[in-house]
Amino acid sequence: ILFKRGDTWTLTSNSHRFRPRGSSGTAENHIYIGAYGTGARPIIQGPGTKLYRGILYRASSDAAADYITIEELEFTGNSRDAAVWIEGVQHWTLSNIYVHDITSPNGDWAGGIIFKDSSYIRIEDSTVENIAGEGIYFGTADTADYVRYGVIANCTIKRTKYDAVDFKEGTRACLVYGCTIEDCGYGSPPTKVLSIGGKYNHISDTRIENPHTNVRSVVYVGRYDGGKFTDSGKHNRIERCLIIDEFRAADEAIRIAGEYNEVISNTIAGAQIAVYGAPIAIGGNLIKNNIFRNTSEYDVYLKGNEDRFTFDYNVYSDGPGEVWYENGASRDFNYVQGVLAQEVNGIVIAAD
């Protein structure tokens, strides 16, 4: 299915949406939805009225639609929920798409790209910006609504009201790498820029910059207080990222609220606290080979009686260079190596 470059398609109602369903490709031959001709990307535009779910939408109750590639398209305009809202699929790729200026007519939440109850999802070489909600959102906190084996690669995410990337607690073995994230999380406080719940997720080689004082954590790793998944927030890794909070706007650059998570070989510039161990961080977290620059309060702040952190070979510069323990937090070593998500020959694999 090819849309002509330079043309615009405007949706008129909930019954007239871009809705792939009822046909699937194969591993060798995906259904392809893209562009032809020369010029700007084809634009698929939401209506001026409230649009339920997404401009591009597939419900879990729809007939199967797997092995689909969508590329070189632009999505913009009003949607009550999101530009792209996809449920219950496998092996979808969104490549070189542009999602921008997504708002709700009533000023409600409206996200960029949402996948639920899906696996083997790939979003690559795409831009998501000016979004009245989260930028890219995987799963929910419900065990039945997971996303597994997802990849967000070489994307740019800017000016989202809430999280640039939100992996809910049911998310497993997903990757983010090679991305640029700027000016996100400007909504009502406290907000986050990158939220990593679930297990075996891996964030690497990504630049994250925060200018907003209402952001509590630039990166949040772990489970949530009162969340449904007590077996969540484990074996996630933040690696080789550059986290910039030069105005020390956020409370902390990275908050750890789980167990067996790794913060390795990152550079953290600015922030009041570089790494904060929350009271529900319950064991075996590793902080290693990081560079902390210009931290105004503490490089590492461990809070709570059950905190168990190990840190080693970190470099402290131009700041207090301190690790602070509160309420019995200790340096007991009980770290257990987990098997993280990784991509081998274009396939995401993990132990879980």
Side-chain angles (χ1 to χ4, degrees):
I1 301 172
L2 301 179
F3 293 85
K4 185 179 179 181
R5 289 182 174 274
D7 282 358
T8 298
W9 285 261
T10 301
L11 308 181
T12 58
S13 69
N14 283 331
S15 60
H16 295 87
R17 286 178 290 180
F18 185 11
R19 192 167 182 175
R21 52 182 172 174
S23 296
S24 294
T26 65
E28 296 77 22
N29 189 18
H30 279 214
I31 291 175
Y32 178 82
I33 301 171
Y36 75 94
T38 60
R41 293 181 183 91
I43 298 173
I44 302 176
Q45 181 171 281
T49 58
K50 182 179 287 189
L51 180 69
Y52 180 70
R53 292 296 186 246
I55 298 169
L56 170 61
Y57 173 55
R58 184 195 182 277
S60 58
S61 58
D62 290 341
D66 298 326
Y67 294 100
I68 290 178
T69 294
I70 299 174
E71 66 180 12
E72 299 285 349
L73 299 183
E74 181 174 333
F75 298 91
T76 190
N78 286 323
S79 175
R80 193 195 78 174
D81 292 306
V84 178
W85 183 295
I86 304 298
E87 301 175 357
V89 301
Q90 297 185 61
H91 300 284
W92 273 49
T93 296
L94 306 182
S95 181
N96 196 13
I97 67 169
Y98 182 29
V99 176
H100 67 98
D101 296 287
I102 302 300
T103 60
S104 171
N106 297 331
D108 299 329
W109 180 94
I113 300 172
I114 295 177
F115 277 91
K116 298 187 173 188
D117 194 20
S118 299
S119 57
Y120 300 102
I121 304 304
R122 186 177 185 88
I123 304 169
E124 64 183 13
D125 303 318
S126 297
T127 296
V128 179
E129 62 183 353
N130 298 327
I131 308 296
E134 280 88 347
I136 300 177
Y137 183 111
F138 280 180
T140 69
D142 190 327
T143 58
D145 208 359
Y146 62 84
V147 171
R148 298 191 181 196
Y149 311 117
V151 175
I152 302 171
N154 305 317
C155 292
T156 298
I157 307 170
K158 296 182 178 181
R159 293 182 296 278
T160 64
K161 188 173 183 178
Y162 298 111
D163 306 46
V165 176
D166 191 355
F167 287 174
K168 305 306 286 187
E169 293 181 282
T171 304
R172 298 286 188 272
C174 291
L175 310 178
V176 177
Y177 64 83
C179 294
T180 298
I181 298 172
E182 298 177 355
D183 197 14
C184 295
Y186 63 84
S188 299
T191 62
K192 300 176 288 296
V193 176
L194 194 67
S195 295
I196 307 302
K199 298 168 67 174
Y200 305 113
N201 300 301
H202 190 183
I203 315 302
S204 72
D205 304 288
T206 288
R207 177 189 173 98
I208 307 165
E209 188 166 354
N210 171 61
H212 298 295
T213 57
N214 52 330
V215 170
R216 171 176 290 172
S217 311
V218 180
V219 179
Y220 184 100
V221 183
R223 64 185 180 90
Y224 303 110
D225 290 300
K228 294 181 180 180
F229 279 177
T230 56
D231 185 34
S232 185
K234 297 180 179 180
H235 300 296
N236 300 292
R237 178 185 290 176
I238 310 296
E239 182 176 27
R240 296 190 307 275
C241 292
L242 173 60
I243 302 172
I244 302 173
D245 188 18
E246 291 290 6
F247 301 110
R248 301 180 178 91
D251 290 350
E252 64 267 342
I254 298 177
R255 174 177 288 235
I256 305 294
E259 57 185 327
Y260 310 127
N261 297 292
E262 301 174 331
V263 178
I264 299 178
S265 301
N266 302 282
T267 297
I268 299 172
Q272 297 179 56
I273 299 171
V275 178
Y276 174 81
I280 61 172
I282 55 178
N285 296 288
L286 179 65
I287 304 169
K288 184 176 181 179
N289 293 340
N290 300 284
I291 298 174
F292 304 125
R293 294 177 177 165
N294 302 318
T295 305
S296 64
E297 294 186 14
Y298 303 102
D299 290 312
V300 179
Y301 187 107
L302 308 183
K303 182 180 178 69
N305 292 323
E306 294 183 307
D307 285 358
R308 297 292 185 268
F309 280 78
T310 295
F311 42 93
D312 208 357
Y313 301 107
N314 298 292
V315 177
Y316 310 100
S317 63
D318 302 321
E322 294 182 9
V323 178
W324 180 263
Y325 304 96
E326 181 177 296
N327 298 332
S330 75
R331 289 186 62 174
D332 292 351
F333 180 77
N334 63 342
Y335 180 74
V336 178
Q337 176 68 50
V339 180
L340 292 158
Q342 57 182 313
E343 193 171 24
V344 179
N345 296 326
I347 299 173
V348 180
I349 61 174
D352 190 42

